[in-house]
Every structure is written in structure tokens, then in C-alpha cells.
Amino acid sequence: MNAPETLTIDAEPRRRLVASRWSPGGWPMGLRLGAALALLLLGASLLLPLLLGVDPMVTDLGRRLAAPGQQGFILGSDQLGRDILARILAGLNWSLAVAAVSTALAALIGVVLGLLAADRPGLLRTVINQLVDMVLSFPGLVIAIVVIAVLGHGFWPLVLTLGVLSWPVFARVVYAEARSVLAEDYVLAARLLGTSRLRVLLGHVLPGLTPSLMVMLAFHFADMMIAESALSFLGVGAPLGTASLGNMLSESRQYLFVAPYMMLLPAAAIVLAVVAANLIGDGLAAAGRRGRTYAHDGSDKA
Amino acid sequence: MKALVSTVGRRLASLVLLLVVLTTLLFFLLRVTADQALVLAGPEASAEQVAAIRAQYGLDRPLLTQYVSYLGDLLRLDFGTSIISGQPAIAEVRARIWATVALAIAGMMTTIAISIPLGAWLGARPHTGGRRTLAAFVFLLQGTPGFVVALLLVQLFAVQLKWLPFMGYGSFATWILPTLTLASFLAPKLTRVVAANVNSALAEDHIRTARANGAAFTEIYWRHALPNALLGATALIGTQFAFLLSGSVITEMIFGWPGIGTLLIRSIQSADFAVVQAVTIAIAIMVFVVNALTDASFRLLDPRLRRAGS
């Protein structure tokens, strides 16, 4: 959940830099790999269920706990005889949607409050910064339980919990970066020319934050995938019985001896999705660094 | 000295503010989730019995009156009584906090012992074959949620090999799997940060100058690059430790660890609000103190910040 720090693994020759960093050919290896993996997972979770035509909720107690490949189940069946492949695809769908929407919500709140705090010194800044510290020290589990008690289990309670708990991550970075952009001469020039504060923020500050925002979105998405599965695992996330990766892992605990695949397969799905998002985040960070390196002719002291 | 006093004073003021807001929010939010009188009375209680319990615990007073008396109790360090055990809530927390703190320390030590040497080694020459493979493995592990690692460890060491106990708290063997779980969750990130820092420290101009002047790589590495890189890692170590103290709820739950994480879950489930409030306040204070100490040590360790003053 901290500012993304990355390990540079790109030792590609300099001529690579000439290629545009926005065309896939110029992307770092990791970014290409991550994007491919993300597309693969997204495509599979959307299209494969249609091809398979298996309902992830249908139980068949006569064919329970079948190993992968047995009794007509490609990846086996769970304790109620439900198809594990169909459940993983449905669970992936659910987790990706929760992670995407809660990341968007966190980014929205974080960017708005971060920009406000950077732009308005005084009371508003103090209040927002205190709020950031406060939310960061709030136990997430208690929030989740309260939200669920009020709104019930489901997609929106989960998204709300995750978004409301995690926006300070965005607010902190946006605040720090926006403050340094606001101190630039061109912002002062824009102000002297009579540009309104809102237009300065949206037209001059926000575009400057885009590269780091994109990196943060990718990493945050990965964090939200993990958090969603953890909350569902604890029974305060997805509605009980829903095909969600966290629920599947939680159910698998009682069958560790007889059916380890019930745990290993959904675990692999989570890991793949998180790794894809991390690869994209790393790749974007590397691409951003490299773009800067190129623009400043080799001296990256920004 | 004056600066120090004002820093500490500001910190304390914001801690007090944090606690006031936190306790207020908790008090009202928790009462939305469940009715303590119903929980206490049990499912078969009649309306009169519920009313009697309400009166006995003062739950029939207006919420605002209850809130004011709750705040008054807090000022006298009275966190209320657990409705489950009948013990003071603070005693429940005190009985379990050390299991959490000790596990957090064990997890953090293991993380540091793995990450710093590994990161320093990976960062020195990140592009060679073996290190690339290892870096890829670290990356994969970073994408693995902690409870997945816990389940995998249990599957391997407790179910398949039967070397270590499933769960429990006591002998040395019971510490291994929870500690490894926490370390596997934190170590990948720290390793990658140390490696990236070492790598970028080695690319600095003053390192190049030292090399040009004929200094040996090992000397540059140990004397200039590594200390700079570790400085940057201090902030992350602080954050990670604060995270561990906030009760690694899932790890504690999976391994049946008698810490404040399991206590929190159990008291939420049984609407034991006094204990939920006490645990939350304890966590908030611990996290706050660790963050403040991290900031302070940062200033102490980094000569640039020290000279800048304030």
C-alpha cells in the first residue's frame, strides 16, 4: 500500500527508447507480459463460461469432491459437487469487478481530497491530512462488519468498504505531487494570467500526475484483489455461497486432506490476477522512468 | 530542544484527536450493527427479560447519555466490561496483546533477515541469470495473498509432511508457520525495495566518481551504496511493522493464535462492544507510536534531515 518502489530489470539497449512508449512494441517486457496475462484472464472469465455452459451454483451431491479430470469435471468438483472451473471463472469475474470498481472509487476520493489539500492551505488541508491519518489507523475489519450490518452482503457493500478504507493511499501521493507541481513557475504564470483555481488543478496539475496515477491504479487494483479475497475468506465480503475466490478458499479449509486442489486452483487464479496487475504497474513505472530518461537525454535526476 | 518539545506536543495533540474521533465513530457505528441486550438475553428470552437486562446494563438510557458516560469512563481508563467473560475489557486485551506483539516481532525479524541480504545481493547486479530467476520468484510471491501462503504452508508442512503442528500457541514449533506466513507476505516487498534502492544508489554520480578514482567495487558497495539503500528501507520497515501490530487477523485466525486479531473477530461476532472498542483503541495507539518512532528514527539516521532542522 506504499508508494510503489520498483526493481528495474530492463537492460534493453538504448535504441529501444526511440520507439514510442505508448505503442506495445516500445513497452517493457514485463508490461507486455502483464497486459497479455490480464487480457487472457479477463477474456477467460467473460467468454469461457458461455462456452462451458456450466452453472457455477448447481450442486450434485452424487459427484462431490471429484479430482480434476474425473467424473466429467475439468478441474474437479467441490464439497457440494459444484464445478470448480465454472466457479473459478465466476469468482474471477466477481473479484475483478470488485477490485476495478473499488479502485476507481478510492482513486476518485483520493484525487479530489489530495488536490483540495494541496490547493487550499489552512484549515481544509489540516482536516484532510488528519482524516488521512485517521482512516489509515482504522481497523478495516470493523468497518467491513459495520458496512455489512447496515447494507447487507453484496457487491456494493464490499466496494464501499474497500474504497472508503483505501483512498488515503491515493490522497497522500496526489497531495505530495500536486504540491510540488503547484510550486512550478508555469502554474504561477497561469494564475497570474487569471486562470481559475479549478482550471489550474484540472488543466495543469492533474495531467502532470497521470503517470504516477496510472502506476498507482495498477498496484491498487492488485491490493484490492487481495483485500477482496481476504474479506470474503473471513466471511465479511462476498455473500456466502457465491462463487468468489475468497469464499472458495474459505470452504477449502475443511478439505485440505481429501481435496487439496479445492485450495490450490482458486489460489492460483488469485495469484495470476495479482501478478498480472503488478507486472502492469511495474511496467508502467519503468516506461515512465524511461520516457523521462529519454526526454532529459540520459540524466534522470527529476 | 524547543523544536523537539513542540514536535512531541503536536504529535500528542493529533493522537488525542485521533482517539476522540475513533472512539466516537466506534461507539455509534457498533450500536448500529447489533443490539447488545438481545445478544445478552439469548434467543429464548421474553420481552420482560430483555427489558430487565437493558435496565441492568444501562442500555435503556438515551444513546447520547450512554455516550457521555462512556467517554467519562474512558478518561478514567475504564474500558468497560466484556459481556462474554465478565472480565474488564482492558484485561482481555492485556492478556492477548503480547501474543500479537511477539508474533509481529518474530515476523518482522524474519522479514528483515531474509530481505536485506537478499535485496542487497539482487540489487548489486540485477541482470545476471540466477538473480533474474530469483527476482521473478520474489515477484510471484509478492502477488500471493498472505492467507494463501498460510494455507499452502499448512498443506505442505502440516498435512503432507506432518513436520509441524496445524495450529496452536506454545512450543517453538507452533511459531514457525505463522512467522513464515507473515514473512512471506512482507519480505517480497522489502526485498524489492532494498534491491531497487541498492541499484539506484550504485548509479549515483558520486559512486561513478569514486569508481573513476579507483575505489574497489566492494568498498563502494559496503560503504556508500548499501547504507544509502537501507536508509530508504527504514520507512517501509516501520509501515510493515505497524501493519503487523494492527493484528494480522487472518494469520491469527488460521493458526488459532490467541492474539488481539482473533479477539477482535470473536468480540465483533458476539457483539461484545467493550472489547471491540478496547482492541481498536489499543491498535490505534500502537500503530501511532510505531509510525512516530519511524519518523523519529528517520530523522536520526539521515544526516540530511538532521541538518535541515525542524
Side-chain angles (χ1 to χ4, degrees):
Chain A
M1 301 278 251
N2 308 88
E5 273 291 346
T6 47
L7 177 64
T8 1
I9 327 179
D10 44 307
E12 291 163 80
R14 270 195 66 92
R15 64 186 156 75
R16 261 280 158 75
L17 305 180
V18 182
S20 159
R21 68 184 151 120
W22 300 123
S23 79
W27 286 5
M29 188 59 190
L31 185 53
R32 271 184 275 172
L33 204 66
L37 192 56
L39 276 179
L40 193 76
L41 288 172
L42 195 64
S45 79
L46 290 176
L47 299 177
L48 262 187
L50 302 177
L51 277 176
L52 285 170
V54 181
D55 186 342
M57 303 300 285
V58 163
T59 61
D60 182 355
L61 288 175
R63 295 191 297 162
R64 60 197 292 266
L65 297 175
Q70 304 277 305
Q71 302 184 39
F73 292 112
I74 299 173
L75 291 181
S77 68
D78 68 3
Q79 80 280 10
L80 296 175
R82 295 174 295 194
D83 187 288
I84 290 184
L85 177 58
R87 286 184 76 71
I88 286 181
L89 293 172
L92 208 52
N93 221 323
W94 162 274
S95 303
L96 292 175
V98 170
V101 181
S102 50
T103 302
L105 180 64
L108 186 70
I109 306 176
V111 168
V112 169
L113 292 185
L115 284 179
L116 272 180
D119 189 47
R120 302 283 161 99
L123 186 65
L124 193 60
R125 173 180 294 172
T126 317
V127 169
I128 291 176
N129 284 340
Q130 286 285 352
L131 200 63
V132 165
D133 286 345
M134 220 167 274
V135 173
L136 283 177
S137 61
F138 219 95
L141 201 63
V142 180
I143 291 266
I145 308 252
V146 171
V147 172
I148 283 163
V150 178
L151 299 178
H153 279 278
F155 182 81
W156 288 106
L158 193 51
V159 164
L160 215 61
T161 309
L162 293 173
V164 164
L165 282 174
S166 65
W167 62 266
V169 184
F170 282 94
R172 276 203 164 165
V173 175
V174 168
Y175 169 72
E177 291 207 3
R179 273 195 78 170
S180 73
V181 175
L182 280 169
E184 295 276 348
D185 286 342
Y186 68 85
V187 171
L188 185 67
R191 280 220 171 124
L192 288 175
L193 286 171
T195 317
S196 74
R197 294 184 102 144
L198 188 67
R199 285 194 66 166
V200 167
L201 284 182
L202 296 183
H204 296 281
V205 179
L206 199 54
L209 302 180
T210 316
S212 21
L213 268 179
M214 283 174 57
V215 174
M216 286 185 68
L217 283 172
F219 284 126
H220 203 76
F221 183 86
D223 282 342
M224 290 299 100
M225 284 282 306
I226 294 184
E228 187 279 326
S229 61
L231 285 179
S232 298
F233 181 80
L234 284 174
V236 292
L240 303 174
T242 319
S244 103
L245 298 174
N247 280 355
M248 293 178 76
L249 285 169
S250 175
E251 288 162 12
S252 78
R253 282 183 70 200
Q254 275 105 50
Y255 303 93
L256 279 181
F257 286 96
V258 282
Y261 52 86
M262 268 181 69
M263 184 266 286
L264 294 172
L265 294 170
I270 295 182
V271 173
L272 278 182
V274 175
V275 163
N278 277 341
L279 277 173
I280 293 175
D282 257 14
L284 285 174
R289 264 199 311 277
R290 207 183 302 173
R292 211 157 53 211
T293 313
Y294 184 54
H296 290 267
D297 193 32
S299 58
D300 184 11
K301 288 284 164 284
Chain B
M1 195 58 211
K2 209 173 154 193
L4 182 72
V5 172
S6 98
T7 310
V8 172
R10 232 187 1 253
R11 285 268 176 196
L12 280 179
S14 70
L15 175 62
V16 170
L17 183 67
L18 169 72
L19 290 180
V20 169
V21 175
L22 195 63
T23 46
T24 309
L25 270 177
L26 269 179
F27 183 86
F28 290 105
L29 285 180
L30 284 175
R31 273 143 193 91
V32 176
T33 64
D35 187 344
Q36 273 195 305
L38 289 181
V39 176
L40 272 171
E44 277 120 42
S46 65
E48 292 83 56
Q49 283 170 310
V50 174
I53 285 174
R54 241 185 256 286
Q56 186 193 338
Y57 284 86
L59 297 171
D60 52 349
R61 296 172 296 166
L63 205 54
L64 217 56
T65 320
Q66 290 186 45
Y67 172 63
V68 171
S69 81
Y70 163 70
L71 274 194
D73 288 344
L74 275 190
L75 283 180
R76 280 177 277 119
L77 293 181
D78 177 1
F79 288 82
T81 310
S82 162
I83 57 169
I84 302 300
S85 65
Q87 299 277 322
I90 197 164
E92 294 265 323
V93 174
R94 210 184 290 135
R96 289 159 177 271
I97 202 161
W98 294 115
T100 295
V101 172
L103 184 61
I105 292 175
M108 203 64 239
M109 299 283 252
T110 316
T111 302
I112 292 173
I114 296 171
S115 295
I116 288 183
L118 187 62
W121 185 69
L122 285 175
R125 286 192 187 84
H127 308 303
T128 51
R131 295 185 214 208
R132 264 191 119 138
T133 319
L134 203 60
F137 176 71
V138 171
F139 194 84
L140 196 68
L141 201 59
Q142 193 186 11
T144 314
F147 63 95
V148 170
V149 175
L151 293 178
L152 289 172
L153 288 173
V154 168
Q155 175 71 25
L156 183 63
F157 291 107
V159 176
Q160 304 284 337
L161 298 170
K162 297 189 173 63
W163 286 353
L164 294 167
F166 253 81
M167 53 185 340
Y169 170 69
S171 69
F172 179 72
T174 60
W175 286 72
I176 297 176
L177 290 184
T179 306
L180 279 181
T181 301
L182 294 181
S184 75
F185 188 56
L186 300 179
K189 188 155 204 170
L190 188 57
T191 307
R192 283 162 50 81
V193 168
V194 171
N197 285 352
V198 167
N199 201 328
S200 65
L202 283 173
E204 292 274 343
D205 287 345
H206 68 271
I207 301 272
R208 195 185 52 198
T209 309
R211 285 287 272 170
N213 283 336
F217 178 79
T218 44
E219 190 189 320
I220 290 174
Y221 181 73
W222 289 105
R223 279 196 48 195
H224 301 289
L226 202 55
N228 269 331
L230 293 184
L231 186 64
T234 320
L236 181 62
I237 292 176
T239 320
Q240 291 194 328
F241 191 61
F243 169 80
L244 286 184
L245 284 179
S246 62
S248 357
V249 176
I250 300 192
T251 307
E252 287 191 3
M253 202 188 86
I254 289 179
F255 293 103
W257 199 257
I260 50 175
T262 31
L263 183 65
L264 183 63
I265 288 216
R266 227 189 36 211
S267 10
I268 289 175
Q269 282 165 350
S270 49
D272 197 351
F273 295 155
V275 178
V276 176
Q277 283 156 348
V279 172
T280 313
I281 292 169
I283 289 175
I285 293 176
M286 285 198 300
V287 169
F288 190 91
V289 168
V290 169
N291 283 339
L293 285 180
T294 311
D295 273 6
S297 65
F298 215 57
R299 276 162 209 276
L300 214 64
L301 288 173
D302 193 338
R304 284 166 298 189
L305 288 176
R306 216 183 306 152
R307 224 173 291 132
S310 78

